[in-house]
Amino acid sequence: MRLLICLLVLISTSLYGQKSKTYTLRTIAFYNCENLFDTVNDSLTFDDDRTPEGSYHWTRERYLQKVENLSKVISQIGAETSKTSPDIVGLCEVENLDVLEDLVQHPNLLDKDYGIIHFDSPDARGIDVALLYKKSAFIPSSFKSHRLLLFDEMSERKYTRDQLVVGGTMDGEEIHFIVNHWPSRRGGAAKSSPLRVRAALLNKRIIDSIQELDLDAKIISMGDLNDDPIDDSLKKILKTKGKKRQLDSLSLFNPMEAMFKKGIGSLAYQDKWNLFDQIFMTSNLVTENRTTLSLWKAGIFAPQFIRTDEGRFKGYPLRTYSGGSYTAGYSDHFPAYLFLLKEVE
């Protein structure tokens, strides 16, 4: 008999004989995998460092350890509450479909029956974004990879990651997911900011195009944005709001903004925490009406086992390499996640 993976959470409202209500709980997560490369040298990309002969001595054993580590993290995101792994997982810094298949087929995730949606991006290093989905929770009906065209001051093309858009049905409702990995801060935050503004503009065009077809479309955008929730790409281009009372029907709500202002981060650099890993959404997902899919709460998944436990970087994400030395860690980012609730009739 097949196990129904959908989690039913009983939230009691029984006061003086009132009926309790039952809800379906869905977990949406995003994780930067920090260079999930296989060991094969791809002649079309700059992946030479991540090969057995490369500077990182990326062997089969290290690759398999990386897959085991990442699958362990994914299996536990939000599980303290949900008692299962996420229903939707956006990923970035994955090299190809092969590494994704190894990931979902690892014993930590195999029984979750994840489907994969992935396109090769033109990124110079060969890293892509992807979406994992539990086949029991989400039925995809459309998917498209949107190219981000960037040029330097000499009009030379700068190759970067696409933005992945997936539409489908969850708990009887149509919902869209966008997976992002915006340009890095290489060269400095200020100098590289225009590149992320371009990425935000593409994200806005995608959202607008979905809403042109359906003004009430439910959309969740997630990714490593290489910007904090208060930066221009979010606040001026996408016009995200950090407080529910600020929302109107056209607003985008970013629950990570309040978290960032409390000092919560998903990665650290030079003793400063940033919250680059974010999940934001259309305002119709931010409602007290639980008869429809709605946001319950969001967070950063940072248990002790994925943190550095000593030394100068104590408390930082436990990464795969530190200072060029292999540390057998997980990623240089913590995952972001949120919970959606829907009342069961």
Side-chain angles (χ1 to χ4, degrees):
M1 181 177 178
R2 181 171 176 172
L3 175 66
L4 183 63
I5 302 178
C6 168
L7 177 69
L8 298 181
V9 179
L10 189 66
I11 300 179
S12 176
T13 59
S14 54
L15 293 173
Y16 305 104
Q18 289 182 352
K19 281 187 175 181
S20 62
K21 293 182 179 180
T22 304
Y23 298 83
T24 300
L25 176 66
R26 299 296 184 190
T27 308
I28 314 300
F30 174 81
Y31 197 16
N32 180 325
C33 295
E34 190 207 15
N35 298 315
L36 179 55
F37 283 83
D38 61 23
T39 61
V40 180
N41 186 8
D42 185 342
S43 62
L44 299 178
T45 63
F46 297 109
D47 69 343
D48 302 53
D49 289 342
R50 300 284 171 169
T51 60
E53 297 78 25
S55 60
Y56 285 99
H57 305 291
W58 191 238
T59 62
R60 179 70 177 171
E61 291 74 20
R62 291 182 177 185
Y63 168 69
L64 292 176
Q65 183 64 59
K66 176 82 168 180
V67 169
E68 179 175 343
N69 288 354
L70 293 175
S71 64
K72 177 181 177 181
V73 176
I74 292 170
S75 72
Q76 295 187 30
I77 299 173
E80 185 175 346
T81 298
S82 68
K83 311 306 179 189
T84 187
S85 64
D87 299 284
I88 299 288
V89 188
L91 299 174
C92 77
E93 293 202 18
V94 294
E95 186 180 18
N96 51 42
L97 182 59
D98 290 341
V99 301
L100 291 164
E101 290 177 339
D102 286 345
L103 188 64
V104 301
Q105 290 170 13
H106 189 278
N108 287 331
L109 296 177
L110 184 59
D111 67 340
K112 310 306 181 187
D113 195 24
Y114 279 111
I116 301 169
I117 298 177
H118 163 266
F119 291 87
D120 286 316
S121 289
D123 180 82
R125 292 175 55 221
I127 54 174
D128 307 326
V129 299
L131 188 86
L132 308 183
Y133 64 94
K134 279 185 179 173
K135 298 173 185 177
S136 62
F138 179 71
I139 304 172
S141 57
S142 63
F143 35 87
K144 184 176 181 180
S145 189
H146 290 257
R147 195 127 297 176
L148 176 59
L149 297 176
L150 299 175
F151 299 89
D152 63 19
E153 60 273 8
M154 301 299 292
S155 298
E156 291 289 328
R157 174 86 181 273
K158 296 175 68 70
Y159 293 94
T160 189
R161 283 76 60 178
D162 294 348
Q163 295 183 15
L164 174 63
V165 185
V166 181
T169 304
M170 175 178 283
D171 297 318
E173 298 185 33
E174 186 175 356
I175 188 167
H176 302 263
F177 298 100
I178 309 173
V179 187
N180 304 267
H181 185 191
W182 292 0
S184 75
R185 294 191 167 198
R186 186 175 293 108
K191 183 178 179 181
S192 59
S193 178
L195 303 180
R196 291 183 295 282
V197 166
R198 292 290 301 274
L201 285 167
L202 174 60
N203 205 248
K204 186 177 187 304
R205 285 198 297 272
I206 293 169
I207 293 170
D208 289 346
S209 67
I210 295 171
Q211 291 177 325
E212 282 180 11
L213 298 175
D214 178 7
L215 187 60
D216 296 321
K218 294 186 173 182
I219 306 169
I220 293 177
S221 189
M222 67 182 86
D224 174 3
L225 309 184
N226 277 300
D227 266 340
D228 288 314
I230 60 171
D231 286 325
D232 287 353
S233 57
L234 279 300
K235 300 301 291 181
K236 292 186 177 180
I237 303 301
L238 287 160
K239 296 181 169 57
T240 54
K241 309 293 185 184
K243 297 179 180 178
K244 293 180 181 180
R245 68 172 182 269
Q246 299 172 328
L247 297 175
D248 57 37
S249 61
L250 298 178
S251 296
L252 295 171
F253 179 60
N254 189 351
M256 274 59 189
E257 184 174 328
M259 295 163 55
F260 177 70
K261 291 178 178 178
K262 292 178 181 177
I264 297 172
S266 59
L267 73 159
Y269 179 68
Q270 295 184 343
D271 297 326
K272 179 182 182 295
W273 283 92
N274 293 102
L275 187 44
F276 291 170
D277 302 270
Q278 301 176 49
I279 309 176
F280 57 92
M281 69 211 71
T282 48
S283 60
N284 52 7
L285 283 158
V286 187
T287 174
E288 297 303 316
N289 177 13
R290 301 299 191 193
T291 63
T292 183
L293 284 170
S294 57
L295 174 69
W296 178 27
K297 60 181 180 179
I300 297 297
F301 183 66
Q304 187 56 48
F305 78 89
I306 63 172
R307 292 177 175 268
T308 303
D309 58 12
E310 61 183 1
R312 176 187 171 189
F313 302 113
K314 183 177 180 179
Y316 285 26
L318 179 57
R319 53 195 303 167
T320 309
Y321 287 86
S322 180
S325 299
Y326 179 64
T327 53
Y330 299 82
S331 171
D332 55 351
H333 290 242
F334 295 139
Y337 69 95
L338 59 79
F339 295 122
L340 300 178
L341 286 178
K342 184 175 182 178
E343 185 178 337
V344 177
E345 295 182 4

